[in-house]
Amino acid sequence: MEGLLEHPGYDGEKLRRVSEQLPCREVQAGMLLSLMGEPQQYCYPSLFIYGHRASGKSHVVNVLMKELELPHVTVSCVECVSSALLFEQVLLSFFGCDAASLLPRSPSLSDFVRIYKQRTSEFPSKQTRYIVMEQAELLRDASVNLLPALLRLQELVEDNVSVILLSEIVWDKFRPNTGCFEPLLLHFPDYSKAELLQILSAGRNSSYSAEFYSSYINILLGVFYTVCRDLRELQHLAALNFSKFCEPVAEGKVKETETHKLWKNIEPHLKKAMQTVYLREVSSLQWEQMDEHETGALRGLSAHTHVELPYYSKFLLIAAYLASYNPARTDKRFFVKHHGKIKKTNFLKKNEKTSNHLLGPKPFPLDRLLAIFYSVVDSRVAPTASIFSQISSLVTLQLLTLVSHDDQLDSPKYKCAVSLDFISAISRTVNFDIVKYLYDFL
Amino acid sequence: MATSSFSRGCFVFKPSAKKKKKKKTTVDLESYFTDGCEGAESSETRFKLCLDLWNKIKTETEDLQDELNRNILDSLLQFTRKCSSTRRHGNWASQMRASEIPTAALVLGVNVPDHDITFQSLSELLRCSVTPHVASLQAKECGALKHLMKRVLERLMDAVVDDEEEEEEKEEVQHSGAPLHKSVHCSLRALCDWYSSKTKKSSCSSSGKKRSSSAVDEHQQPPVVIIFKDLEAFNPKVLQDFILICSRYLDRLPLMFIFGIATSPSTVQRMLPHSVSSLLCIELFQSLSCTQHLTTVIDKLILTHSFPFKLNGKVMQVLVSIFLYHDFSVRNFIKGLQLALLEHFHSQPLSSLCCRKKEAQIQLQQLSAGDLDRIRQLPSFNRFLKEQDQQEQDNLQTDDTYLKEVCQKLLKGLHKYHKNYYPVLRCLHTLTSSLPRYPLGKQIRELHLICLEKNVWESEEYQSAMKLLKMLAKDELISLLQKCAEVLQPVKSKKMKNAFVQLEELLDKFKQLNAAAELAPSVEEKLTCPVKNLQKKTDLFQLQKTLLEMNESRRAKRMSPFEVLRNEAMEFVDGLVKNHLSPPESKPLYEVCYYSSSATVRRHLNATPRTSIQAALSSPYCYIQNDSLKSEDGSVSNAAPDICIAHKLHLECGRLINLYDWLEAYSTVVSAAEGNDPDPDGSGKMDEVKHARFIRAVSELEFLGFIKATKKKTDHVARLTWGGC
């Protein structure tokens, strides 16, 4: 193979193992290796690797680090709620826990640099140390000076250290206003279909032949490639559906080579998988069990949209929906008994020709909600405390959202957060014709 | 306690834990109960009865809850076990598969107050049968990822985890030098270390005890279960990040989630993007709906003669409508029941008789003369008295021992009434609940409410239900009657046993009829012969005539034996209803068992803040029980508190109120109350005290939301309410 990695300073045997583990990523790995240089050489201060989800960024870096036994630490930025956690992890894995315990409470960047320097002077490194930051896009939300400092950490701590940032976003979205040290950019392109086929086929089940498995993968890709190119997802799906694919072979009905019959058997199953288990409508566990029972009538998560609500909550929600989607001017038309004949054209303003449903819900004050509620509900309702508490429980159920700030006790504002389908289902249960009250459907 | 804040607002000072301990409960429950209680002499026994009954209700409902939750909890437990077992026995497929966190989506319905009990029993069950590591989280304590982490670690490790801010405070106090101990940071890494040390330890100890190998295997890696009690209220971003982090540690830490969902399972998809939800293996669990839950609770607690305490129709109506209209919460329903129970024993001196039959007899003998007088004053007893002849009436009015004897009989009658009422109610419900359009209600509680209100057999709905019943087909009728027989069978009262025997006889007759019908299908033939005649005739007039004749003959036609029997059965049911389903108000001494003050219950459970403010302002007498404030025709006396006067005056104004005019009017009213002339020296100068009082009243009204400052005119305020006097 042309992609066999060769680089001075590293053991050939190790490099061979690396390239075995990195199918279809030889070019990127080679590039990375040549950027890193020999272990004892100084590396470029910061590298920025970007590419889509599951394009092998972390995998390549981790395999290189592990197999070549380089001193490194891998930090996930999601996990680092505070920068203290980041500093602690770095110090912990480079210098042991006594270094990490030197960090004061809520350490600043300079604390980190000071301790790092102090430690490197005691234990100078013979090889380049690597700090690998996964999901680096979250560093943008951290304190302002963290990212620029990390980019030139080599300079700050005067040590042979290099920071590798991994992200799904391009570097242009990172650059801070104040300017910073530009890292070297390295792009990982998406896997092509052939590459996906090659990688997926590598993970075959040992009890079946390689040709058989790769024909299965071929069929799988034929169904799923148009909607999903995520390698991890595809691997997951391959594992879930393989037993079904093998069924006729195991029963002895079909030989391994009769691809067409196998395809006919598996294709509807895969199509169904695309609608259910791929969208996580049905859990993978249920999917596997369904194979056993052959029930087929498994309802997905989104099939359960029905919500039972108390009677007045239903009307409150209806009132909220009306308040959100009707202009306030038209309330008189809908809710005052003897409003006279007012045509829709009287209300129309030029910019309001677009449907309110396309514009989304608008905020409304509590008073308006209650006014509509009292006119919509068919019986006289006393303004009891439980009516008000129902409003707030609708907010916690996320059927309404509070728009104004929590602290504003005086006339809070809400938005209705349910769909037209949902509200029509609700109003059907209380015999309320909501369409008659909606300005858009006049 | 004080704050240094000048801004307006509420400050909550929680009593510190030390103080709580010091304060002993010197005033126990009983003295609370007797305080202000009517008929204090029997309050002790009443309190005891009340407590007994409440404890009984409580245990009963708890058992019920456990039973209802058992199904769903069992399936959940099975799910957790299955998840933890598949993780260990990995085959090729599970190795290849992306590792997903097993997640149970538990749909519980919108009755959020009830969820606590469910989660409590769930986590207890999990603790004792699956894993010791259970942490349950509530959204309000997990505003940010940091807090969420902290809570998870705290609950799982059972230790206080250092938080930076808190630690800072401590350090300030202690002024210690370098921190000696290594702090535990809130990260899952710490949790992993803790978990691995824990499992290692436990596996060592268990092998030391030489347990069977399978048990060791089962308990070696117990899953770590994290319960999100109210998923909807969580911040989606926090939840997403937490799941992302957890998925990174899944190989070292067998995590499991339980989502408590109040609305619908699709919220999971709304809150989590595909990239996150693809990390979860979600299975759905649906709990029993709250209306079903209520039905069983009512069945067990109210529709039974074993609880002597009863609710009358109106109170029942209030409780049920609070449930249906407002909260769907069974817990609140039971709380309402508790309130009614307490109020009954507190306010009704004769409630000492509200207990089992034998105890009631004993209590009756111990009644004081005052209590006996109370009995004589009961409206239901008066009604009973009027039905007796003069001699009897005099006896009852004067002779206490005779009265006790009669009351004994009456109480016995009341108990018997209850014993027969509920089975007959159930019978009637089984018969009518499947009729089209449900003339007597779908649920048994609706039928119960009708029966409590009035004589059910006089209602139109009952008549129409009976008409429908008389049209039932044979199979349906027989199956319904059999169900009724099943209801009546276990009842141990003489009348019900009789009724059961009669019903069995009826059913036998139906069966015989079946057999007879198979032997002789004769009736049909007679009917068909005029039809044959019909075919011969072609004349229109003749045809009409014959058709009319046919109609006539059909109407006059003798009823088939089945129809006769059906009518007989319906008459039997009708007789049962008329004998046993009369409303309790018709029974003498019903006040002993029935709580009837629906207004009290409504006021306590369904508070109306606005109307009470209005009431306080317009008639202060109902809160400040001062005779000088008493007034008729809704006017406010001029001795009322300032705010009441200001409120009354502002009702007379339009949308905008001139403050100076208002002040003038106010000062006139107040000076009249003090007995002075409105303006003694005629200078027009305002008394400073009055001025200050007025300003205070106005700002109080502003605080209550009656007026607000307006920018339209500087010396005016705007009214926020409509209407006036």
Side-chain angles (χ1 to χ4, degrees), chain A residues 248-296:
Chain A
V249 178
E251 284 168 12
K253 284 182 197 158
V254 184
K255 274 184 224 150
E256 282 193 18
T257 44
E258 289 174 290
T259 350
H260 187 70
K261 275 188 184 165
L262 286 171
W263 179 77
K264 267 208 158 162
N265 174 44
I266 194 71
E267 211 233 352
H269 188 72
L270 288 179
K271 284 246 164 89
K272 205 164 144 210
M274 183 151 74
Q275 282 157 13
T276 54
V277 71
Y278 167 62
L279 295 173
R280 295 305 193 273
E281 286 271 311
V282 168
S283 75
S284 47
L285 214 67
Q286 281 171 319
W287 180 251
E288 284 185 335
Q289 273 162 14
M290 193 189 71
D291 281 357
E292 290 161 23
H293 304 311
E294 282 295 340
T295 46

Side-chain angles (χ1 to χ4, degrees), chain A residues 124-194:
Chain A
S125 67
K126 293 180 199 84
Q127 293 183 328
T128 316
R129 291 175 174 135
Y130 293 97
I131 302 176
V132 182
M133 314 274 302
E134 289 177 345
Q135 279 117 343
E137 58 269 16
L138 288 165
L139 282 176
R140 297 178 299 172
D141 305 329
S143 62
V144 203
N145 55 8
L146 187 62
L147 180 61
L150 281 175
L151 289 172
R152 52 202 313 169
L153 193 67
Q154 200 177 74
E155 218 174 303
L156 284 170
V157 297
E158 294 162 354
D159 179 36
N160 188 2
V161 62
S162 176
V163 178
I164 302 177
L165 303 173
L166 306 178
S167 174
E168 290 174 23
I169 304 178
V170 292
W171 170 246
D172 289 343
K173 307 270 181 192
F174 275 73
R175 212 171 274 133
N177 296 335
T178 46
C180 65
F181 182 84
E182 291 284 318
L184 274 183
L185 307 185
L186 188 59
H187 180 233
F188 275 45
D190 285 344
Y191 291 114
S192 69
K193 194 171 178 179

Side-chain angles (χ1 to χ4, degrees), chain A residues 82-93 95-119, chain B residues 164 167 171 177-183 185:
Chain A
S82 59
S83 45
L85 277 172
L86 167 67
F87 300 151
E88 197 193 57
Q89 276 194 38
V90 172
L91 290 178
L92 193 74
S93 51
F95 307 109
C97 53
D98 47 336
S101 62
L102 282 178
L103 275 174
R105 285 271 148 203
S106 51
S108 67
L109 189 68
S110 54
D111 287 325
F112 169 66
V113 170
R114 179 172 51 80
I115 292 166
Y116 194 104
K117 254 173 148 172
Q118 187 191 329
R119 285 282 145 169
Chain B
E164 280 135 50
E167 192 67 12
E171 265 178 314
L180 289 174
H181 66 286
K182 205 204 144 322
S183 65
H185 264 297

Side-chain angles (χ1 to χ4, degrees), chain B residues 41-98:
Chain B
E41 60 268 29
S42 63
S43 65
E44 218 169 285
T45 50
R46 273 150 57 197
F47 176 69
K48 213 183 271 168
L49 279 176
C50 176
L51 217 60
D52 279 353
L53 264 179
W54 169 239
N55 284 335
K56 215 167 143 200
I57 289 177
K58 214 166 115 185
T59 48
E60 195 103 338
T61 46
E62 272 163 13
D63 290 351
L64 200 67
Q65 193 113 32
D66 284 349
E67 199 160 315
L68 290 176
N69 282 332
R70 188 166 299 145
N71 269 335
I72 185 169
L73 292 187
D74 277 350
S75 50
L76 248 176
L77 285 182
Q78 215 172 359
F79 174 70
T80 53
R81 287 205 199 98
K82 199 167 61 190
C83 287
S84 58
S85 68
T86 49
R87 216 194 298 261
R88 263 176 271 123
H89 314 294
N91 52 356
W92 169 82
S94 60
Q95 275 169 18
M96 280 294 290
R97 238 160 62 184

Side-chain angles (χ1 to χ4, degrees), chain A residues 351-368:
Chain A
N351 54 351
E352 264 182 20
K353 273 183 186 155
T354 41
S355 152
N356 286 310
H357 279 87
L358 290 179
L359 294 171
K362 292 193 180 58
F364 54 84
L366 177 66
D367 299 341
R368 192 171 160 225

Side-chain angles (χ1 to χ4, degrees), chain B residues 371-385:
Chain B
D371 285 331
L372 289 176
D373 274 342
R374 283 196 187 97
I375 287 183
R376 290 190 182 111
Q377 283 158 15
L378 287 180
S380 67
F381 189 77
N382 273 329
R383 241 174 283 141
F384 168 73
L385 211 57

